[in-house]
Every structure is written in C-alpha cells, then in structure tokens.
Amino acid sequence: DVYCSAVGNDSNGGVFPSLPKATLQSLIDSRALEPGDVVYIDTGVYLLTAPVLVGDLDAGQSTNRVVFQGSTNVAAGGTVFNRQTTSGNALHLQRTAGIEFRNLNIINAGQGVYSDEAGDCYFIDVRVENCSSADFAANKSPTNYFLRCLARSSGSGLEPNQSMMIWRNGVIWGNMKPVDLQNGGSAALYNSVLRAVGASARIYSLSTSAGNI
C-alpha cells in the first residue's frame, strides 16, 4: 500500500491512514468534500456493483480542485475500479465541477467515465479499458480535460454529446470509434495516437449534428 497502514472498513472515518474506508463511495457519502481536499485511493482492485457517484455537493473550484489520487505503485497494479459488467457506468460525475482524478484504472464497464452536466474536470493518467459502450462519455458537459490518458478496447474512446473534450498526450487504441461525436459534441486532440479496429471502424465518427473536431 502507498497511503494506508491498515485494511479498509466502511465503518472507519477514512481520515487517517490507520483507519481507511473500504470503498470510495462510502467516503463520498459520509464526507462533505470541499475545494482543496485530496482523497487518496490505495493500491488494489475495487469491485464495483454500482457507479461511483460524485455530485454537486462535492464540487471544487477551477483554481482549487477536489482531487481523487489513485495509487502510484504501478508495479503492484495501481488502483483498479472493476465494474464487473458491461451495462453500467464505473465513474459518474453528476452536475459537478472542479474535480480531478489521477492515476486510476477503470475496466469492464458500459461507460468507464460518464460526465453528466459536469465541467472543468481533469483526468490525468487515467486508463479506461474493455467497456462495451465508451471509455469516456459526456452529456451536456462544458469542457473537460484529459492528459496522458488511455482509452482502449472499447466501443468508443471519446463520446461527447453536447459537450467538449480536450485530450492531450494520450492513446486511444483498439476501439471501433476512437472519437465518436454525438449531437453537438466537440473534441480537440493534441499529440496523441489513435487506432480503430473492426469491420466498421472509423477514427472519427460524426453524427449529422456533431460539433467541431
């Protein structure tokens, strides 16, 4: 472990390394997160039976974000959220802003990260793989930012709907539609590698009402 000195239990307060929570959702539900707060998520595989929900009561600010920091122990596997199904979200941001996620691995979801009316959020060194629908999806969300992220082996890599995504220095690999712009969806990509696979594969898939790429 990188951050904790004991096994997690959701009856713990989750404030001290010796008394960690077992699940991120329990911490979110029991604490009113404020701008500048940092939540440390230790090494391990977290089996999700429902999405991790971050809402408006846990919003940060553009210059003082709420940070969710995963494990930097890559050799031990890091922090992994396993949704265990291909029909639900793993991480759901709902009507929030000023949130930052770092060093997370998300696997086996319908949508790995789903932003719903959530903007000015940052994803840094976040890997999302093996999702049936999309790795990173957004609905009616102002600009969100992605740095050194991976979207791999899923239906779509980026799927903005009435949203803007800015993707830098990342990889979108092995998706049928690496960039799938829905109604009013826009994306800007810089210094990244994209590869589409499958009979109907397209690097860029644009609806008739898509925004800009």
Side-chain angles (χ1 to χ4, degrees):
D1 288 350
V2 177
Y3 308 120
C4 301
S5 58
V7 176
N9 188 312
D10 280 342
S11 64
N12 292 337
V15 176
F16 302 105
S18 58
L19 294 170
K21 292 278 191 182
T23 64
L24 177 57
Q25 193 63 62
S26 177
L27 180 75
I28 293 170
D29 292 344
S30 63
R31 297 281 171 182
L33 299 177
E34 302 290 344
D37 283 348
V38 180
V39 176
Y40 293 98
I41 312 165
D42 219 334
T43 310
V45 178
Y46 298 82
L47 301 178
L48 304 180
T49 57
V52 174
L53 178 63
V54 181
D56 59 334
L57 297 180
D58 299 303
Q61 299 170 346
S62 60
T63 58
N64 198 21
R65 293 187 284 273
V66 172
V67 176
F68 293 86
Q69 174 66 60
S71 171
T72 55
N73 189 350
V74 178
T79 300
V80 180
F81 289 161
N82 185 347
R83 185 63 175 88
Q84 308 180 84
T85 177
T86 55
S87 61
N89 306 326
L91 181 60
H92 187 167
L93 280 63
Q94 186 175 56
R95 296 181 180 175
T96 191
I99 303 294
E100 182 173 309
F101 287 90
R102 291 176 170 265
N103 302 100
L104 292 180
N105 302 283
I106 298 172
I107 59 174
N108 302 329
Q111 294 173 317
V113 176
Y114 180 61
S115 302
D116 185 16
E117 299 184 48
D120 193 33
C121 297
Y122 283 72
F123 302 85
I124 302 173
D125 297 312
V126 174
R127 301 168 59 99
V128 183
E129 304 178 68
N130 195 33
C131 296
S132 62
S133 178
D135 292 315
F136 297 92
N139 177 60
K140 297 181 180 178
S141 294
T143 307
N144 288 321
Y145 304 86
F146 306 83
L147 178 63
R148 298 189 304 272
C149 291
L150 169 70
R152 180 174 177 267
S153 299
S154 303
S156 300
L158 307 182
E159 190 180 88
N161 180 71
Q162 299 182 55
S163 305
M164 177 65 181
M165 294 178 163
I166 297 181
W167 178 276
R168 295 181 183 273
N169 305 334
V171 175
I172 307 175
W173 193 265
N175 302 70
M176 183 175 294
K177 300 175 182 178
V179 180
D180 186 6
L181 302 188
Q182 301 289 311
N183 175 37
S186 298
L189 293 87
Y190 304 88
N191 302 319
S192 297
V193 178
L194 290 74
R195 179 176 182 263
V197 299
S200 302
R202 300 286 187 276
I203 292 290
Y204 299 106
S205 175
L206 284 66
S207 76
T208 55
S209 54
N212 299 316
I213 186 74

